[in-house]
Amino acid sequence: MNKSSFNRLIIVAYRLPFTLQQSDSGLTLKQNSGGLVSAVLSMAERAGHSTADAAMPIHWVGHAEPVFREIDAAELANSTFVAHPVFLDEAVNRGFYEGFSNNLLWPLFHYFPSYASFQEADFQHYQQANARFLEELAALIQPGDLIWIHDFQLMLLPELVRQALPQCTIGYFFHIPFPNHEMIRLLPRVWRQTLLQGVLGADVVGFHTADYVQHFFQSVAEFTTFPVIDKRVILPNRSVVVSDFAISVDFAKFDSTSQEPAVVETRQQYQTLLRHNQLIFSVDRLDYTKGISYRLQGYELFLIRHPEWHDRVTFVMTVVPSRDKIGHYQELKREIEETVGRINGLFGTIGWRPIVYSYTSLTFTELLALYTACNVALITPVRDGMNLVCKEFIASRHDEQGVLILSELAGAAKELHNALIINPTDTQEVADAIHQSLTMPVQEQRTRMRQMRHHLQNHNVFRWNHDFLQAINQTQQHRPEMETDLSLPAFLRSFSEADRRLLLLDFDGTLAPIVDHPADARPSPALCQALGELAGSSDVVVISGRNRAFLETIFTGIPLYLVAEHGAFLKKPDQAWERLDLTTDNWLEPVRAVMQQYAARTDGTFVEEKETALVWHYRLAKAGDIEVQATQLAATLRGVGSDVPLTVIQGNKVVEVKPARHSKGTVALSLAEQKPYTFIVSIGDDTTDEDMFSQLPNWSYTLKVGAGPSFARYRLAHQRDVETLLQKLSETLVSAS
Ligand code: GDG
């Protein structure tokens, strides 16, 4: 497996992969059934075989029953695996797991909205339980760990972890279908927003199929303000990769174990017991999503239509106990048992039972014996995220015999094209497929089986694991070229078609990254080059709060317009500075006195005197309440008496006071009106840039860099995206010439 740049892999899932059972010899660990458990444990087993990874066991954080408290921690760890039990208060667990997870999310996400129960108390328990998982994780995480969170019970956890540990690497995989956004719309607004935002705490979000990815994007578009670009959701300060990763099985393990003597022996016993009849097999957890009732109806119709098969075929149907404390599950169990009884009563004879039904779980050997004994695997869910049973059946068929009948509503149907794909509610289609399977020539069985086996050999659980972890690695190594909700082609076209263009660009946080010491801020050489090229055919204005000398030094030799001190001074290319603001200076003294008091009181802060503004800087201050001080100072300054109106700006680690007559907005507007521009773009990251965004004509392109509310029409995620954007504009000029 590929853990490459990460220290430890920490799996977080609702359950630990074991339950404890009381036996004569005391408490013993028993492996749970279920798709996720099978997939992840096979990863852990294989990891244990390689020396490098053996030193690095997989950690698994999951809920455990109180009886686990009696187990010594040492017993929960071996060379491949360390279990970290999460204990939940019983009432919380009931509301969280049985309530919100199984009575709401599960039915809703499997398109059973009428089974969904919307209870505020359950939502609160869901939040509390996710927070409990965070507590357990927070105590465990070390720098360099990769946290891989699983499934719909923990949708809030990625964002909780992100808030607590912003730098950590988080993957999230969703094992059930992600439905169309109209299902998500059924959730109360706060719930759906909290859930979506919760998931978006991850760096990579994975689903089984491309359809589920599209559905997720639809929901993001409908219920959040975040844009989606190139399989990424763009958040204010980072982005989330969302992609499909089809979970699979340990092909080699099923292939080889199916030939072991114990399996062969059990298979022969079954075949003898069932009089060497043709066998149809199914196994699923008790669940209304698995289409068990429709399956029975399909089989019944087959028996009605094909009496020639009576006595020659047996349907072995195993239902594994699951969630049977919930009402819908109890009803389902009753319905299944009645239908089985009715069909057996109707068609059976003294020597033949058409359906051999059991409500139990099978050992691995029994499971493999049935996968390999049967002629037909009948997998008919009405919704299934993926369905591993059908993949296990194929992987077990070393003999290349047997036919898979598979519902088009299982994720696996997107891959297993050589199955007989049916709609599970169409009982006629199911009956026909059963007949077709039982009469299928061996050669056709072999051709179909071979192709599906070839696919699964290459798309096994290790590939799923590898692809997911690789996607996480890539997010760490390669930042996307650019993150924005702007339609780039339209933007570039509008720029290149315009005959008069105006570019208004803020300096700190826009052209230059924010640095600890303001004097060190510099735009990159590549950005300066792009500005130089653009200035040849456009009016390019750097519009900043910085003083004149600073801007002139930084941009020496580039024919730009420079606007200093938020619009107090303007310098056109090759001309001298003009002072735009003619206000008297008698406001300076009282403002300076207040600022100096703050500077004297708090280490790491100082007052800068510009020609038309006073600025209190606090970037280097360590005081815990420094933002509170900044707000207090701004409030005090707003009350300072002056005979000219003043603007007090609480900006990025600065509080600045200047006469209100000039602002970036007034200057931007007056420049925009000087010529008949047909293209205007303004880009900025700070509150002062909002004046530009709000005053420019509404057809202008206004772009805010980073997070936070804004008047701008578009957003760039990072300062580095400004550089990319300007380079793209200058490339447009080069390719046009
Ligand atoms: C969820 C999604 C998705 C079952 N009975 C026995 C037994 N099993 C094992 C099977 C298989 C697993 O349980 C069932 O996996 P599925 O994928 O079919 O279904 P879910 O449990 O609903 O899993 C599903 C999966 O997550 C993975 O992402 O495919 O769509 O709903 O491995 O072998 N194993 C044994 N005895 C049994 O009686 N030993």
Side-chain angles (χ1 to χ4, degrees):
M1 61 188 289
N2 171 8
K3 279 191 268 170
S4 47
S5 52
F6 302 104
N7 258 352
R8 303 181 305 174
L9 177 59
I10 301 178
I11 301 281
V12 194
Y14 169 64
R15 262 205 191 86
L16 280 182
F18 304 107
T19 37
L20 278 179
Q21 289 196 337
Q22 187 77 48
S23 67
D24 296 342
S25 53
L27 287 172
T28 50
L29 287 172
K30 179 172 176 279
Q31 184 186 319
N32 294 335
S33 67
L36 166 65
V37 172
S38 311
V40 177
L41 281 188
S42 52
M43 263 161 53
E45 278 166 26
R46 186 184 259 202
H49 297 153
S50 98
T51 5
D53 281 324
M56 205 74 86
I58 293 178
H59 292 255
W60 187 312
V61 178
H63 170 251
E65 296 116 44
V67 64
F68 265 78
R69 292 184 199 269
E70 296 171 29
I71 292 278
D72 195 58
E75 297 207 31
L76 295 173
N78 62 29
S79 57
T80 55
F81 198 78
V82 186
H84 302 267
V86 176
F87 298 106
L88 292 170
D89 173 84
E90 212 182 307
V92 171
N93 191 38
R94 211 174 312 117
F96 150 63
Y97 181 65
E98 286 169 29
F100 201 79
S101 303
N102 289 347
N103 270 338
L104 173 61
L105 294 179
W106 178 270
L108 195 63
F109 282 43
H110 285 87
Y111 297 84
F112 278 78
S114 60
Y115 283 25
S117 162
F118 300 78
Q119 307 290 338
E120 180 60 38
D122 289 349
F123 181 56
Q124 283 171 16
H125 286 141
Y126 187 83
Q127 291 174 300
Q128 286 166 17
N130 274 252
R132 261 297 293 131
F133 274 82
L134 172 68
E135 277 172 27
E136 197 64 39
L137 258 180
L140 173 68
I141 299 172
Q142 295 168 5
D145 287 345
L146 164 60
I147 301 152
W148 190 0
I149 299 167
H150 290 264
D151 227 357
F152 64 104
Q153 300 90 350
L154 300 175
M155 288 176 81
L156 307 183
L157 192 56
E159 177 62 12
L160 291 175
V161 179
R162 176 71 56 208
Q163 293 293 335
L165 302 146
Q167 297 310 322
C168 68
T169 308
I170 308 168
Y172 177 73
F173 192 84
F174 208 70
H175 288 262
I176 64 172
F178 197 91
N180 176 285
H181 66 281
E182 288 301 337
M183 286 288 142
I184 305 297
R185 199 191 294 286
L186 290 172
L187 292 166
R189 284 171 212 278
V190 173
W191 297 11
R192 69 190 182 216
Q193 255 148 25
T194 313
L195 292 169
L196 289 171
Q197 201 122 20
V199 169
L200 291 172
D203 294 288
V204 174
V205 176
F207 297 95
H208 290 307
T209 71
D211 286 357
Y212 306 156
V213 171
Q214 283 316 316
H215 292 162
F216 182 73
F217 283 149
Q218 261 178 341
S219 279
V220 168
E222 285 284 326
F223 308 123
T224 77
T225 53
F226 306 130
V228 173
I229 302 169
D230 281 348
K231 287 195 139 197
R232 278 169 186 275
V233 180
I234 311 295
L235 305 185
N237 51 2
R238 57 188 191 88
S239 66
V240 184
V241 171
V242 185
S243 193
D244 53 309
F245 306 88
I247 201 168
S248 193
V249 298
D250 181 349
F251 183 92
K253 178 173 157 194
F254 281 88
D255 183 57
S256 65
T257 317
S258 66
Q259 302 167 64
E260 283 178 2
V263 173
V264 174
E265 198 181 311
T266 313
R267 173 164 73 230
Q268 284 164 353
Q269 277 170 10
Y270 288 158
Q271 283 167 334
T272 309
L273 278 169
L274 297 168
R275 303 160 48 225
H276 297 278
N277 267 1
Q278 296 279 301
L279 299 184
I280 300 171
F281 175 55
S282 76
V283 56
D284 350 55
R285 281 185 307 98
L286 177 70
D287 205 292
Y288 47 83
T289 62
K290 301 288 180 183
I292 302 173
S293 297
Y294 288 121
R295 186 182 309 163
L296 288 169
Q297 288 169 31
Y299 182 60
E300 181 177 13
L301 189 61
F302 161 77
L303 292 177
I304 294 170
R305 294 228 176 127
H306 296 282
E308 74 278 14
W309 278 98
H310 291 194
D311 213 26
R312 292 167 55 209
V313 64
T314 304
F315 179 14
V316 179
M317 189 175 90
T318 302
V319 175
V320 180
S322 174
R323 304 180 193 170
D324 48 16
K325 286 187 211 130
I326 297 179
H328 289 301
Y329 287 74
Q330 288 165 355
E331 271 166 44
L332 175 68
K333 180 164 181 277
R334 206 170 32 245
E335 185 187 321
I336 292 170
E337 291 176 355
E338 279 171 15
T339 313
V340 169
R342 189 173 54 73
I343 296 174
N344 278 345
L346 204 58
F347 299 94
T349 62
I350 291 209
W352 175 57
R353 252 190 313 160
I355 304 171
V356 172
Y357 162 75
S358 41
Y359 185 67
T360 182
S361 65
L362 304 166
T363 65
F364 192 55
T365 302
E366 290 166 341
L367 183 68
L368 285 183
L370 286 164
Y371 281 150
T372 49
C374 70
N375 303 85
V376 182
L378 186 53
I379 316 283
T380 61
V382 285
R383 278 298 159 180
D384 212 334
M386 172 55 71
N387 190 290
L388 291 179
V389 167
C390 61
K391 292 189 171 182
E392 292 170 0
F393 163 66
I394 291 166
S396 307
R397 295 314 294 246
H398 191 81
D399 62 351
E400 298 178 341
Q401 301 293 291
V403 180
L404 171 63
I405 299 177
L406 179 60
S407 162
E408 63 176 340
L409 297 165
K414 301 274 182 250
E415 294 173 78
L416 301 175
H417 307 294
N418 284 287
L420 298 185
I421 304 286
I422 49 92
N423 182 297
T425 63
D426 185 340
T427 43
Q428 288 195 25
E429 201 184 6
V430 174
D432 290 347
I434 293 174
H435 184 251
Q436 187 188 347
S437 307
L438 292 172
T439 53
M440 188 180 284
V442 169
Q443 194 46 48
E444 183 180 345
Q445 292 184 32
R446 194 180 296 284
T447 310
R448 287 174 181 268
M449 190 52 90
R450 214 175 254 170
Q451 285 175 2
M452 291 190 286
R453 281 172 61 80
H454 180 71
H455 174 79
L456 291 183
Q457 219 161 355
N458 292 312
H459 295 82
N460 56 33
V461 69
F462 304 106
R463 175 158 179 178
W464 168 75
N465 169 60
H466 170 271
D467 289 353
F468 190 88
L469 297 185
Q470 176 118 319
I472 292 193
N473 262 328
Q474 278 167 358
T475 63
Q476 306 303 302
Q477 286 156 13
H478 307 290
R479 295 277 167 206
E481 193 194 7
M482 198 173 164
E483 292 182 27
T484 176
D485 53 350
L486 181 68
S487 161
L488 265 185
F491 176 74
L492 296 177
R493 204 175 326 113
S494 146
F495 174 77
S496 65
E497 286 171 5
D499 51 353
R500 278 181 194 274
R501 314 174 183 107
L502 176 64
L503 282 65
L504 297 153
L505 310 167
D506 167 47
F507 181 75
D508 290 287
T510 302
L511 294 178
I514 299 279
V515 288
D516 278 349
H517 300 281
D520 297 341
R522 292 285 178 280
S524 71
L527 187 136
C528 288
Q529 189 184 340
L531 285 178
E533 282 159 12
L534 288 166
S537 64
S538 310
D539 292 340
V540 182
V541 185
V542 175
I543 185 160
S544 166
R546 296 282 190 149
N547 65 32
R548 294 184 283 176
F550 179 85
L551 292 180
E552 227 171 342
T553 317
I554 297 288
F555 295 108
T556 312
I558 310 178
L560 301 174
Y561 286 65
L562 299 178
V563 174
E565 301 196 15
H566 299 110
F569 297 100
L570 168 69
K571 183 183 179 311
K572 295 181 179 162
D574 303 324
Q575 293 187 22
W577 284 98
E578 327 165 25
R579 181 171 180 144
L580 302 179
D581 174 63
L582 303 171
T583 325
T584 60
D585 286 348
N586 57 9
W587 59 274
L588 275 168
E589 195 38 52
V591 169
R592 184 187 290 126
V594 176
M595 281 191 178
Q596 278 174 347
Q597 268 175 19
Y598 273 72
R601 196 166 84 189
T602 310
D603 285 348
T605 73
F606 63 95
V607 180
E608 181 193 4
E609 301 227 358
K610 297 184 185 175
E611 285 176 76
T612 61
L614 285 175
V615 192
W616 181 69
H617 288 267
Y618 61 94
R619 188 180 308 284
L620 297 176
K622 297 258 185 318
D625 68 339
I626 191 68
E627 292 295 340
V628 178
Q629 286 194 39
T631 306
Q632 278 170 354
L633 172 60
T636 311
L637 291 170
R638 284 190 189 102
V640 166
S642 156
D643 50 8
V644 294
L646 298 176
T647 300
V648 178
I649 303 158
Q650 201 175 341
N652 193 350
K653 307 290 179 199
V654 292
V655 176
E656 174 154 2
V657 180
K658 63 187 175 62
R661 274 189 41 209
H662 61 270
S663 74
K664 285 188 178 184
T666 53
V667 179
L669 187 59
S670 71
L671 285 171
E673 287 171 349
Q674 269 178 24
K675 295 181 193 171
Y677 290 108
T678 47
F679 176 93
I680 299 177
V681 60
S682 102
I683 313 179
D685 73 316
D686 209 345
T687 41
T688 56
D689 301 313
E690 294 299 318
D691 291 339
M692 284 200 285
F693 301 149
S694 57
Q695 297 208 28
L696 286 170
N698 60 8
W699 52 265
S700 317
Y701 284 96
T702 48
L703 280 91
K704 158 96 176 162
V705 182
S710 176
F711 288 113
R713 288 165 62 201
Y714 303 101
R715 207 174 279 275
L716 294 170
H718 310 283
Q719 186 274 326
R720 61 172 181 271
D721 295 329
V722 179
E723 177 169 329
T724 315
L725 189 75
L726 295 177
Q727 278 174 328
K728 285 193 186 296
L729 287 181
S730 73
E731 283 161 17
T732 313
L733 292 176
V734 174
S735 60
S737 62

